[in-house]
Amino acid sequence: MHLVTRRLFSMLGFAILLCARVALGQEMSADEAWEALPRYEYGQDMAPLLRIDRIVNESMRDVELRAECAAKMATLLMREETTPAACQYIYLQLRQVGTDAEVPILSDLLMRTETSDDARAALEAMRSEASTTALREGLSVLDGSSLVGVINSLGAIRDEESLLAL
């Protein structure tokens, strides 16, 4: 029994080492990650997301890269073939890298019931005059839980100008 256990642990260790080497040796390129992102589904290999995470982190030190990254993400949000899982990931990333250039797209998505919450959270995190204005505009258009979300976001960013509308 002792020999069988030792062999089993030896084979298991080898398998783990082999998998780690394969994973480390097959870094996905940025282009491949951007191409795979719109088709991402929950439970799939997260390699494209992890690669884009690194791109997002790098973009925080480079204004041009940040703008390019945010623009790609906003474009993917508007594509019909982008999966809900990919959209959710993109909204989360836009909270970090979103710029005023993405506000019109996020504002449009804020007005749609199915995308309102995610777009609102991205606009709230951006904390710019343009994103705050988009949230304020939602006060006169939205209703129900979407309106409540916008009110909460405006409260979270302490927007005094929205007090008159409320």
Side-chain angles (χ1 to χ4, degrees):
M1 183 73 169
H2 182 64
L3 181 62
V4 171
T5 305
R6 213 185 295 165
R7 283 188 179 169
L8 181 62
F9 280 115
S10 177
M11 289 182 350
L12 181 61
F14 177 74
I16 290 171
L17 182 61
L18 182 63
C19 288
R21 286 184 181 170
V22 167
L24 292 174
Q26 292 185 343
E27 168 91 347
M28 180 176 275
S29 75
D31 289 338
E32 290 171 326
W34 285 113
E35 187 177 317
L37 178 58
R39 296 183 308 276
Y40 175 74
E41 294 285 356
Y42 297 115
Q44 284 184 342
D45 181 10
M46 292 181 62
L49 306 186
L50 295 173
R51 181 66 173 111
I52 292 174
D53 281 347
R54 284 195 295 281
I55 294 168
V56 167
N57 288 335
E58 292 168 11
S59 77
M60 299 308 287
R61 292 176 289 217
D62 182 336
V63 175
E64 289 177 20
L65 182 59
R66 179 180 177 183
E68 179 184 325
C69 184
K72 283 182 182 179
M73 288 186 182
T75 300
L76 291 176
L77 278 179
M78 300 307 292
R79 288 177 41 188
E80 286 185 29
E81 65 270 12
T82 303
T83 66
C87 285
Q88 186 178 32
Y89 173 81
I90 291 167
Y91 283 117
L92 289 172
Q93 295 306 316
L94 282 174
R95 290 179 183 191
Q96 294 180 43
V97 296
T99 68
D100 285 350
E102 288 72 48
V103 169
I105 291 171
L106 290 170
S107 180
D108 180 50
L109 294 166
L110 177 68
M111 303 307 164
R112 301 178 191 177
T113 304
E114 65 276 3
T115 57
S116 183
D117 286 340
D118 291 324
R120 176 188 51 78
L123 288 166
E124 176 185 330
M126 291 169 64
R127 306 274 172 135
S128 72
E129 186 57 40
S131 64
T132 303
T133 299
L135 290 169
R136 277 188 217 124
E137 289 170 0
L139 290 174
S140 62
V141 177
L142 297 171
D143 60 7
S145 62
S146 296
L147 176 59
V148 171
V150 166
I151 292 169
N152 286 334
S153 289
L154 290 166
I157 61 176
R158 304 203 181 282
D159 179 49
E160 293 180 16
E161 288 184 41
S162 64
L163 290 175
L164 294 175
L166 294 171

